[in-house]
Amino acid sequence: MKQQNSVSVVLPTYNESENILEVLEKLSQALGKQLCEIIVVDDNSPDETWKIVEDLKNPKYKVIRRTEERGLASAIRNGVCEAKGEIIIWMDADLGIPPEIAPQLVEALNMSDVAIGSRYVKGGADPRPFPLPFLSNCLNVYARLLFGSQIRDYTSGVAAVRKNIVSQVLWSDAGFGEYFAEFSYRCIKRKVRIVELPLQYKIRKSGVSKLSGGSIWVVLRYGVQYGVKMIKWRLRMK
């Protein structure tokens, strides 16, 4: 019988008290005995998301409550570096990324080193209200022109990585969602085996994200910020 790899899941959180219990339950059910741990990296949420997880007293749920540091990129990097599993998955905790994709990502690593959930391969979708899908698609076309078309979704936000290659693809700890483009480009430059699976993105059930609740000008500002950083990475990583 083939031995199953242990899996760590990293969830960055900020004010996800309305979603966190459902995410934890669905991930636990989806991964079953393969689940080694779920690491919740919380930026000291005012709604005490961190406390909800701590109060469960489940030995598989680990909380990293950050009171000094902030930011999505550093939160995920923090959790990934602490993970003990042979396979490490990270995703948002707002249910926009269905937890049920986790075992599919794990299975895909039988033939690859990195598995990415992609809205831009056949079967993927992004139903968020305009202008988010349009601007996201434009940014990804730009990224493919700059970095190459080996990856279709440079801003996905969900991936599974083999523990033994993590040090090769780690991103810088500054910034927000642009970290995923840096991670993706590092995968290409290191020539690791990459596969993309269809991601059926969903609209979050509760709460407001940093982008979905913002004006078009906020979204555009982030898009420009991402684009400028991509150029810097392209020039830096030879």
Side-chain angles (χ1 to χ4, degrees), residues 8-28:
S8 294
V9 182
V10 177
L11 298 175
T13 60
Y14 186 76
N15 285 348
E16 293 292 355
S17 62
E18 297 178 77
N19 298 313
I20 192 62
L21 291 177
E22 184 175 351
V23 175
L24 293 173
E25 181 181 358
K26 286 186 173 181
L27 280 171
S28 298

Side-chain angles (χ1 to χ4, degrees), residues 61-223:
Y61 300 161
K62 178 179 179 180
V63 176
I64 300 176
R65 181 186 176 192
R66 308 196 312 168
T67 58
E68 301 295 332
E69 198 172 5
R70 293 286 188 276
L72 180 65
S74 64
I76 298 175
R77 178 177 167 131
N78 193 171
V80 166
C81 290
E82 291 287 330
K84 302 295 191 295
E86 296 164 285
I87 291 172
I88 305 169
I89 299 173
W90 67 85
M91 64 176 66
D92 295 338
D94 61 7
L95 296 170
I97 296 170
E100 292 79 8
I101 197 175
Q104 299 171 37
L105 294 170
V106 172
E107 181 69 21
L109 293 186
N110 286 330
M111 299 296 293
S112 63
D113 299 307
V114 172
I116 294 172
S118 175
R119 296 160 293 179
Y120 303 116
V121 296
K122 185 177 180 181
D126 186 351
R128 294 177 298 171
F130 183 86
L132 289 176
F134 172 74
L135 293 174
S136 176
N137 188 52
C138 288
L139 187 60
N140 273 282
V141 170
Y142 170 81
R144 290 196 291 272
L145 290 172
L146 196 63
F147 296 153
S149 58
Q150 295 98 316
I151 293 175
R152 302 292 298 174
D153 196 343
Y154 279 93
T155 56
S156 163
V158 55
V161 181
R162 289 191 175 279
K163 174 75 170 177
N164 62 348
I165 67 152
V166 163
S167 62
Q168 301 177 47
V169 297
L170 269 183
W171 52 91
S172 57
D173 58 7
F176 187 56
E178 69 269 34
Y179 85 90
F180 203 89
E182 182 185 357
F183 154 73
S184 299
Y185 188 46
R186 287 183 181 276
C187 289
I188 292 172
K189 295 300 289 183
R190 299 320 187 264
K191 293 181 170 54
V192 302
R193 297 174 300 167
I194 309 164
V195 66
E196 286 184 275
L197 304 182
L199 170 62
Q200 290 277 342
Y201 201 85
K202 298 183 182 298
I203 298 173
R204 65 156 54 228
K205 287 186 175 182
S206 303
V208 178
S209 76
K210 199 167 188 177
L211 293 184
S212 64
S215 70
I216 187 172
W217 302 114
V218 172
V219 177
L220 283 171
R221 177 166 59 84
Y222 274 104

